[in-house]
C-alpha cells in the first residue's frame, strides 16, 4: 500500500492537472464563442453572394464551365482538415481515419490520390507515411483569414482545370452544435450546381466583361467561399471538441482526487491506530 | 442642385466595411477603373486588386481591396470584396514585410504556381502600401 506521503503527493499533482485542464476548457469556450461569431459574420456575405450567383445562373441558358466538368477518375485530391493542436478528443483521429478510408476507396478504384493537409495534425500523420502530400497549411487557425481559403483553393483549382486531377473532396469536422461534431466528406470539384435556384423575376444585368467571363470568375469565388466555410466550421468544431474533452478530463481528475482523499484518510487512520496500539502495548509492558 | 444619393454596401467574408448613402463609388474593374453614380442600370462585374473610393461628400474615402464582385441593382450597389481595409486601418509595416517576403520568394522559388502566387502577394502588398501613402 502507498505511503501517506506518496498519496499526498499524488493528490497535489492531480489537483494541478485539474487546474490546467479547467483553464484549457475556459480558453476553448472563449475561442468557441469567437469561432461562432466568425461564422455569423460571414453569413450576410454568403447570402448576398448566393443571390448574385443565382441571378447569374438564371440568365445562363446552359451553364458549362471547366469547373463543372465531370471526368473519369484517374487522379483524386483529398483535402484533409484537422486542428493544429491535440487535446481535443477524437477530433483529429476521426479526420485522419476518414481520410485514409477515402484514399483507400479511390485507390481501390485504381485512382491516384493526392492529399492537401490543413492543420498540423494531418500534416504530421500523412507526411510521415506513404502518401502523396502536395501541399500543407499549418498554424492557420489561430488567426483565420479569408486569404488562407483562397490560397488553399489555389492549390488544386489549376490542377483541376489543367486536368491533372479529376475530383476534389474535402474531409472535415462539421460543427453541428457545441456538443455534436460530425465528420463530413464534401465534393468541391467538379462543382455540383445545386447552387441557389435562379430568381425568375430578375431582369438581366449589363456585364463587363462578357457574361461567360464573369460567370467563370464568380464560380471561382464560389469555391473560395466553400473552402472558407469549411475552415470556419472545422475551427468551431475543434474548439467545441476541446471544450468537451477538457471538461471530461477535469471531471475525471476530480473523481480521482476524491478517491485518493478516501485512500489518504484510510492510510492516516491506519497509521494512528498503529501508533496508539504501540503506545498502549508499550505502557502495558512497563506496568507488567 | 442637390446631388442624388444611392445605397452602397461593402462587405468582406469577415465583416461589414461600409453601409450608407453615397454620391458615387469607384472600383478597380478588371478592364479599367469605373465609377458608378445614382440611377445606373443593373450591372455585374468583377474587380481586381486596387482601390475602392466612395464619396459621401466632397472628400472621397479610400478602401484598399484585393478584388471581388460588384453588383449594381436598382435598389443600390453591393460590393463583395475578398479583403478590404480603410486607409486608416492599413498596417504599413505588415504590408512592407509581406512585400519583402514576396520579393524573396520571387527570387528563390522556381515552380510556376509559387511564382504566380508570390506575384499576387506582391501586388496586394504594393497596393496597400500605395493607398496608405496617399
Amino acid at each position: 500500500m502507498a505511503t501517506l506521503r506518496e498519496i499526498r503527493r499524488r493528490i497535489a499533482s492531480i489537483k494541478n492537472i485539474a487546474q490546467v485542464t479547467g483553464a484549457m476548457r475556459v480558453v476553448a469556450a472563449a475561442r468557441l464563442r469567437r469561432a461562432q461569431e466568425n461564422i455569423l459574420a460571414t453569413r450576410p456575405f454568403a447570402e448576398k453572394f448566393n443571390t448574385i450567383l443565382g441571378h447569374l445562373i438564371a440568365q445562363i441558358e446552359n451553364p458549362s464551365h471547366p469547373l463543372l466538368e465531370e471526368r473519369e477518375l484517374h487522379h483524386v485530391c483529398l483535402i484533409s482538415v484537422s486542428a493544429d493542436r491535440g487535446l481535443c478528443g477524437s477530433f483529429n483521429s476521426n479526420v485522419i481515419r476518414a481520410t485514409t478510408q477515402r484514399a483507400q476507396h479511390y485507390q481501390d478504384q485504381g485512382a491516384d490520390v493526392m492529399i492537401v493537409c490543413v492543420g498540423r495534425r494531418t500534416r504530421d500523420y500523412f507526411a510521415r507515411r506513404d502518401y502523396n502530400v502536395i501541399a500543407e497549411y499549418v498554424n492557420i487557425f489561430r488567426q483565420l483569414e479569408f486569404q488562407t481559403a483562397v490560397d488553399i483553393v489555389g492549390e488544386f483549382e489549376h490542377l483541376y482545370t489543367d486536368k491533372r486531377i479529376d475530383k476534389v473532396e474535402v474531409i472535415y469536422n462539421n460543427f453541428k452544435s457545441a456538443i455534436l461534431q460530425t465528420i463530413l466528406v464534401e465534393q468541391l470539384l467538379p462543382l455540383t450546381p445545386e447552387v441557389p435556384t435562379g430568381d425568375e423575376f430578375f431582369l438581366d444585368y449589363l456585364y463587363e466583361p462578357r457574361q461567360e467571363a464573369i460567370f467563370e470568375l464568380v464560380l471561382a469565388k464560389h469555391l473560395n467561399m466553400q473552402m472558407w466555410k469549411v475552415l470556419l466550421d472545422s475551427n468551431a468544431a475543434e474548439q467545441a471538441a476541446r471544450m468537451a474533452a477538457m471538461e471530461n478530463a477535469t471531471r475525471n481528475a476530480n473523481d480521482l482526487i476524491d478517491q485518493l482523499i478516501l485512500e489518504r484518510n484510510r492510510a492516516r487512520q491506519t497509521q494512528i491506530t498503529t501508533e496508539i496500539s504501540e503506545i498502549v502495548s508499550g505502557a502495558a509492558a512497563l506496568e507488567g | 442642385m442637390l446631388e442624388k444619393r444611392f445605397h452602397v454596401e461593402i462587405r468582406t467574408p469577415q465583416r461589414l466595411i461600409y453601409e450608407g448613402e453615397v454620391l458615387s463609388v469607384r472600383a478597380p474593374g478588371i478592364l479599367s477603373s469605373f465609377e458608378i453614380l445614382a440611377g445606373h442600370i443593373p450591372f455585374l462585374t468583377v474587380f481586381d486588386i486596387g482601390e475602392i473610393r466612395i464619396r459621401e461628400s466632397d472628400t472621397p474615402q479610400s478602401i484598399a481591396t484585393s478584388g471581388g464582385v460588384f453588383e449594381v441593382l436598382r435598389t443600390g450597389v453591393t460590393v463583395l470584396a475578398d479583403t478590404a481595409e480603410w486607409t486608416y486601418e492599413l498596417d504599413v509595416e505588415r504590408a512592407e514585410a509581406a512585400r519583402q517576403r514576396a520579393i524573396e520568394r520571387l527570387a528563390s522559388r522556381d515552380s510556376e504556381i509559387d511564382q504566380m502566387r508570390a506575384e499576387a502577394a506582391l501586388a496586394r502588398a504594393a497596393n496597400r502600401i500605395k493607398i496608405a501613402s496617399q
Side-chain angles (χ1 to χ4, degrees):
Chain A
M1 196 168 141
T3 68
L4 195 53
R5 202 184 322 139
E6 270 171 18
I7 297 175
R8 286 202 173 118
R9 202 180 296 142
R10 278 197 70 193
I11 291 176
S13 87
I14 290 169
K15 269 188 182 157
N16 269 336
I17 293 172
Q19 218 163 47
V20 172
T21 55
M24 286 176 80
R25 194 197 72 85
V26 174
V27 172
R31 292 225 173 109
L32 173 61
R33 205 173 321 120
R34 251 186 41 210
Q36 282 174 300
E37 280 165 17
N38 279 343
I39 292 178
L40 286 181
T42 290
R43 208 160 280 167
F45 184 98
E47 277 163 12
K48 289 269 177 196
F49 186 83
N50 285 338
T51 329
I52 293 178
L53 193 57
H55 287 170
L56 201 48
I57 284 177
Q59 299 311 315
I60 291 174
E61 316 256 289
N62 181 5
S64 77
H65 183 270
L67 296 179
L68 295 166
E69 187 182 293
E70 296 221 22
R71 292 193 288 260
E72 212 177 302
L73 296 186
H74 295 295
H75 305 275
V76 176
C77 178
L78 299 178
I79 301 166
S80 187
V81 186
S82 73
D84 284 321
R85 294 141 172 272
L87 295 182
C88 43
S90 54
F91 182 88
N92 291 314
S93 52
N94 283 347
V95 166
I96 289 169
R97 190 172 343 106
T99 309
T100 50
Q101 278 168 1
R102 215 65 199 146
Q104 191 62 48
H105 170 77
Y106 286 117
Q107 277 160 354
D108 290 346
Q109 294 179 17
D112 178 46
V113 175
M114 293 166 228
I115 295 182
V116 174
C117 293
V118 180
R120 187 179 296 281
R121 292 285 150 162
T122 40
R123 196 277 307 267
D124 287 354
Y125 184 91
F126 290 108
R128 285 205 201 107
R129 287 170 180 78
D130 192 19
Y131 285 99
N132 181 10
V133 176
I134 56 166
E136 54 180 61
Y137 286 83
V138 297
N139 288 336
I140 57 159
F141 290 105
R142 203 68 199 268
Q143 187 74 55
L144 259 184
E145 276 178 13
F146 185 68
Q147 188 58 44
T148 315
V150 178
D151 287 346
I152 296 173
V153 169
E155 290 299 340
F156 59 82
E157 196 191 349
H158 69 280
L159 292 177
Y160 193 85
T161 44
D162 290 354
K163 306 192 177 183
R164 276 150 66 195
I165 47 176
D166 310 302
K167 189 175 194 174
V168 181
E169 280 182 348
V170 61
I171 297 144
Y172 70 106
N173 279 282
N174 181 254
F175 178 75
K176 287 246 192 276
S177 73
I179 46 166
L180 185 65
Q181 300 92 42
T182 48
I183 288 284
L184 268 192
V185 179
E186 271 177 17
Q187 177 173 324
L188 288 181
L189 287 174
L191 280 173
T192 37
E194 41 130 301
V195 250
T197 46
D199 177 354
E200 297 167 44
F201 303 105
F202 176 72
L203 298 166
D204 206 358
Y205 296 114
L206 193 73
Y207 298 93
E208 189 191 294
R210 292 169 307 114
Q211 190 190 48
E212 300 87 74
I214 300 260
F215 184 52
E216 216 171 299
L217 290 162
V218 172
L219 273 188
K221 289 193 187 293
H222 173 67
L223 203 52
N224 294 341
M225 283 303 291
Q226 302 271 86
M227 196 65 225
W228 174 240
K229 260 192 241 166
V230 166
L231 294 182
L232 287 178
D233 235 48
S234 174
N235 185 39
E238 175 196 341
Q239 302 307 339
R242 178 165 297 118
M243 205 173 103
M246 289 301 110
E247 207 167 299
N248 276 336
T250 313
R251 195 179 322 114
N252 290 344
N254 286 331
D255 288 352
L256 200 52
I257 289 172
D258 288 347
Q259 244 178 57
L260 283 171
I261 285 176
L262 258 165
E263 218 172 284
R264 183 196 64 191
N265 292 347
R266 212 175 289 139
R268 199 184 53 199
Q269 196 55 56
T270 330
Q271 199 184 337
I272 294 168
T273 316
T274 331
E275 277 168 12
I276 290 176
S277 76
E278 271 166 11
I279 293 166
V280 170
S281 59
L286 280 178
E287 271 171 25
Chain B
M1 192 192 101
L2 194 67
E3 282 179 282
K4 272 197 189 151
R5 287 177 178 272
F6 59 102
H7 188 78
V8 170
E9 188 178 332
I10 303 174
R11 285 185 182 276
T12 72
Q14 289 175 284
R15 66 199 174 108
L16 175 69
I17 303 289
Y18 175 81
E19 184 165 18
E21 307 295 316
V22 303
L23 297 168
S24 80
V25 55
R26 174 177 280 280
I30 46 176
L31 298 180
S32 70
S33 168
F34 58 87
E35 186 162 12
I36 299 289
L37 299 170
H40 198 285
I41 64 163
F43 173 57
L44 184 69
T45 191
V46 173
F47 60 91
D48 214 352
I49 298 172
E51 178 184 5
I52 297 173
R53 198 178 279 186
I54 52 171
R55 214 155 55 80
E56 276 184 323
S57 59
D58 285 339
T59 41
Q61 292 163 282
S62 291
I63 297 167
T65 180
S66 63
V69 183
F70 193 105
E71 184 196 42
V72 183
L73 292 179
R74 302 260 179 229
T75 49
V77 169
T78 308
V79 182
L80 300 177
D82 290 348
T83 64
E85 295 116 325
W86 290 104
T87 325
Y88 57 82
E89 291 173 329
L90 287 167
D91 185 341
V92 181
E93 270 170 42
R94 194 177 156 198
E96 187 57 47
R99 200 174 71 99
Q100 288 304 330
R101 259 202 320 276
I103 290 172
E104 278 162 33
R105 228 176 299 157
L106 273 177
S108 65
R109 298 239 187 123
D110 42 9
S111 116
E112 203 183 315
I113 265 321
D114 288 336
Q115 290 282 336
M116 267 165 57
R117 224 191 256 182
E119 268 167 34
L122 180 60
R124 285 197 301 270
N127 177 51
R128 288 197 171 104
I129 294 168
K130 189 181 128 213
I131 292 175
S133 62
Q134 273 173 3

